[in-house]
Amino acid sequence: MTWVKNVKKINFKTNAPYEILIDMNLMRTSGDHIKKFSPAKQVLIITDDIVNELYSGDLTDSLIGNGFEVFLFVLSHGESSKTLQSVERIYSFLIKNKFTRSDLIVALGGGIVGDIAGFVAATYMRGIDLVQIPTTLLAQIDSAIGGKNGVNLAHGKNLIGTFYQPRLVLVDIGVLSTLSKQSLEDGMAEAIKYGLIKSKPLFNMIKNCKIEDILTDLIFECISIKQELVEQDELEYGERRLLNFGHTLGHAIEKFYSFSKYTHGQAVAIGMAYTVRSGENLAVTNSGTYEELISVLQKYNLPYEIDCDMEKLAEIAKVDKKATGEFFDIVLIKSIGEGFVKRVKKYDLKKYIGG
């Protein structure tokens, strides 16, 4: 990481390199940063109805002030919008307004908006430039970083998607002030994940400090860990798979409850808890790790138990991108800060995620 004036900059060295800028009030200067790299005439902002009311005005003003013609596409908030039907509607909007490959898409919102906009950008005319402006903690530390995007099918979450890196990510820490307490806690589930798989110091910081005292450092540290993993393994054939910790069961929980009962962060929290408990039962995770994890999940009001048939959840989990024939790549931890990937038989999956 390097400091550029008051803006913290992280250079992502992927096949298509890009910058992540982290600072307060980046929304109001977003057009200045985008203008530095983009020759676009037209910009489509993709957002949802909640974020639209809060931030589309500032972003639009900044873009117009830098000479861009701005269009707006507003989705309904929530997982119900993360479908191929939404994608097709955006394609039609782009075609109607004569967008070309030299124009630009800006994703303004949380993980759902970022996933949809990223998928559209990757596939419209085989690729149009993308800028991510994440507005939730979860998106700022995880989903807007690294180029993964996708949409859901009736059979499961993110089963259709691409790897497509943005040209720029603007992380405006100031927008987190408008998040609810639950939304911040939701993002903390992904932060806890980073600590469990890669950084005991990060985990201890999360455990011992108040969120308002560590927010800036937390964001920097999580993005740095993701940077390391993505640069080593951009297309998720190796080390990057560690980032899926807790997500195997988490995605199954989201699907089982039709994306209505648990948020993504809550489902991942449950997934991590059950996976760590299973790891201790199988003697692959150090004894005491589960108890320490539960204390942190409780601190951030995140769930760790579920009243559901684990056989059904395991069957749902098997329909997943991480499956390879009759095998499944599951992420486990040896101890806090030491994650690893283990290939197991599909019929053994429940042993590793069922608690």
Side-chain angles (χ1 to χ4, degrees), residues 110-140:
I112 293 168
V113 166
D115 279 357
I116 296 169
F119 184 78
V120 169
T123 52
Y124 180 71
M125 295 189 174
R126 298 192 176 93
I128 180 172
D129 282 350
L130 170 71
V131 171
Q132 290 274 8
I133 306 182
T135 60
T136 64
L137 178 59
L138 193 152
Q140 290 187 354

Side-chain angles (χ1 to χ4, degrees), residues 181-244:
K181 185 171 180 285
Q182 184 186 52
S183 293
L184 278 174
E185 292 167 346
D186 203 46
M188 289 304 295
E190 292 286 357
I192 293 165
K193 175 197 76 177
Y194 281 110
L196 288 170
I197 63 171
K198 207 67 179 175
S199 175
K200 188 168 185 178
L202 172 62
F203 185 88
N204 287 339
M205 181 173 70
I206 292 168
K207 179 175 70 172
N208 297 323
C209 302
K210 295 180 180 179
I211 185 171
E212 57 267 26
D213 295 336
I214 62 171
L215 194 54
T216 300
D217 291 338
L218 178 86
I219 292 169
F220 296 158
E221 182 63 23
C222 290
I223 293 176
S224 295
I225 292 171
K226 187 153 193 180
Q227 177 188 21
E228 176 189 346
L229 293 171
V230 171
E231 287 182 353
Q232 290 176 16
D233 177 29
E234 186 172 348
L235 299 183
E236 202 175 66
Y237 291 119
E239 278 286 288
R240 183 173 178 167
R241 291 177 295 175
L242 291 175
L243 295 168
N244 293 320

